[in-house]
Amino acid sequence: MSKKGKRRFQLTGWSMVVVAAAFVLFFSYVPMVQAFFLSLKTGKGANLEFSGLANYARMFQDKVFWTTLGNTLLYAVIQIPVMIFLALLIAVLLNDPGLKLRGIYRTCIFLPCVTSLVSYSILFKNLFAVDGLVNQLLLKLGLIDTAIPFVLTDGWAKAVVVIALLWRHTGYFMIFFLSALQNIDQSVFEAAKLDGSNFFQTFFRITMPMMRPIVFLTSVMALNNTLQLFDEVVNLTNGGPGNATRTISQYIYDLSFTYVPSYGYAAAVSYVVLLLIVLITIVQKKVIREK
């Protein structure tokens, strides 16, 4: 291809993406820059004054900030590894060519992903209520003597949030793994079977190492989603009891719209979340490269 033809080819490509790129720049990156400058201001409502790093210094003495950050990281540490493992395991099982009705199973497992966030949160709240189905089953089986107030107890409330997240998002990430598995040459698994490898040996020694890039991608996506967790907690527990289940995103919302508006401090907390996502992603990438 001549230089003129190559240039024309590049211009054609740019002409197709320039509008979308302009929208992304205007609606994503410009607000991010504005939010950073907003984080350097203090005050209530619209009465804001430049104060440098005062908002960032305030976080060190803000107990609610550390509590909500700790809750969010706890959800990430517990939920993400379990969800990724379950999604990969289910994808391997549903990728078996000899499995009948695979399409129905895949659809059933993926269906929770398209359920409304509010709807499924309310569903789980009713399931784990004092007079809900879970307590009724446990009482009938004789596993408990009195009903457990799941959403009103610190530890149990966190557990309900994690279970709800696993129910909704496992099927979503299963699709990524299923797609990746279908691009792997099946002769690799057939060779392992001929060598005498059982299911678990094949899963841990062949499947998981070969799926490392997609595991990294889904881990980053899951981390990003969890650190922005909002709907489930608000509708399940509303952050309670106390601040036992409140997430950092809910705290940012409360700073902006529930309490007397403190937009500067809310923007500063948002940037801390962004920084946290970037740092954890870099660490994840480095660990996976070393392995």
Side-chain angles (χ1 to χ4, degrees):
M1 183 183 293
S2 64
K3 289 185 178 180
K4 188 176 181 180
K6 187 176 181 180
R7 187 178 300 171
R8 183 179 298 172
F9 181 77
Q10 290 175 340
L11 289 173
T12 302
W14 278 108
S15 67
M16 293 179 179
V17 300
V18 66
V19 175
F23 275 105
V24 171
L25 177 66
F26 185 76
F27 290 106
S28 295
Y29 292 101
V30 171
M32 285 175 64
V33 174
Q34 291 176 329
F36 175 72
F37 287 113
L38 180 61
S39 72
L40 302 177
K41 298 179 180 180
T42 56
K44 300 297 182 182
N47 300 317
L48 300 174
E49 296 179 354
F50 180 80
S51 59
L53 300 176
N55 285 321
Y56 295 93
R58 174 182 168 183
M59 291 180 206
F60 289 98
Q61 284 137 12
D62 187 352
K63 292 182 179 179
V64 178
F65 167 76
W66 291 108
T67 299
T68 55
L69 180 61
N71 292 338
T72 307
L73 292 176
L74 180 65
Y75 295 141
V77 169
I78 296 175
Q79 177 243 342
I80 293 176
V82 175
M83 181 184 64
I84 295 296
F85 178 78
L86 286 176
L88 182 54
L89 181 61
I90 294 170
V92 171
L93 293 173
L94 295 183
N95 194 49
D96 184 1
L99 181 66
K100 296 181 180 179
L101 304 176
R102 287 187 300 168
I104 295 176
Y105 294 141
R106 293 173 184 177
T107 303
C108 291
I109 294 172
F110 183 73
L111 273 178
C113 306
V114 297
T115 307
S116 166
L117 288 168
V118 175
S119 298
Y120 100 90
S121 298
I122 294 174
L123 171 65
F124 269 83
K125 186 174 182 178
N126 291 328
L127 285 174
F128 286 92
V130 175
D131 57 347
L133 180 62
V134 174
N135 267 315
Q136 290 178 18
L137 287 175
L138 293 175
L139 287 168
K140 286 182 179 179
L141 293 172
L143 297 176
I144 58 174
D145 296 324
T146 56
I148 301 173
F150 287 104
V151 297
L152 300 176
T153 310
D154 290 10
W156 283 116
K158 288 185 175 72
V160 171
V161 172
V162 170
I163 293 169
L165 291 172
L166 290 173
W167 181 83
R168 188 176 197 276
H169 296 288
T170 300
Y172 175 75
F173 290 102
M174 175 204 71
I175 297 298
F176 287 88
F177 293 130
L178 198 57
S179 177
L181 283 169
Q182 291 174 352
N183 289 320
I184 297 177
D185 191 350
Q186 292 299 310
S187 61
V188 176
F189 301 109
E190 292 171 2
K193 191 174 182 179
L194 291 172
D195 288 338
S197 295
N198 57 35
F199 174 81
F200 294 102
Q201 289 173 328
T202 304
F203 180 76
F204 286 106
R205 298 182 181 180
I206 297 175
T207 305
M208 289 191 71
M210 294 184 71
M211 298 286 285
R212 191 174 296 156
I214 194 68
V215 167
F216 171 71
L217 172 65
T218 52
S219 297
V220 172
M221 293 172 62
L223 175 67
N224 188 34
N225 291 338
T226 305
L227 290 181
Q228 298 180 65
L229 184 61
F230 180 81
D231 297 83
E232 290 87 345
V233 174
V234 171
N235 290 288
L236 271 170
T237 64
N238 197 26
N243 291 317
T245 58
R246 180 174 293 184
T247 62
I248 195 73
S249 292
Q250 187 181 0
Y251 185 46
I252 293 170
Y253 176 87
D254 289 338
L255 287 170
S256 300
F257 305 109
T258 304
Y259 310 146
V260 177
S262 183
Y263 299 122
Y265 187 52
V269 175
S270 301
Y271 257 85
V272 169
V273 175
L274 173 64
L275 181 62
L276 195 61
I277 293 173
V278 172
L279 288 175
I280 296 177
T281 302
I282 292 172
V283 171
Q284 282 181 313
K285 191 172 184 179
K286 187 176 181 181
V287 170
I288 287 179
R289 278 185 176 179
E290 288 177 353
K291 288 185 178 182

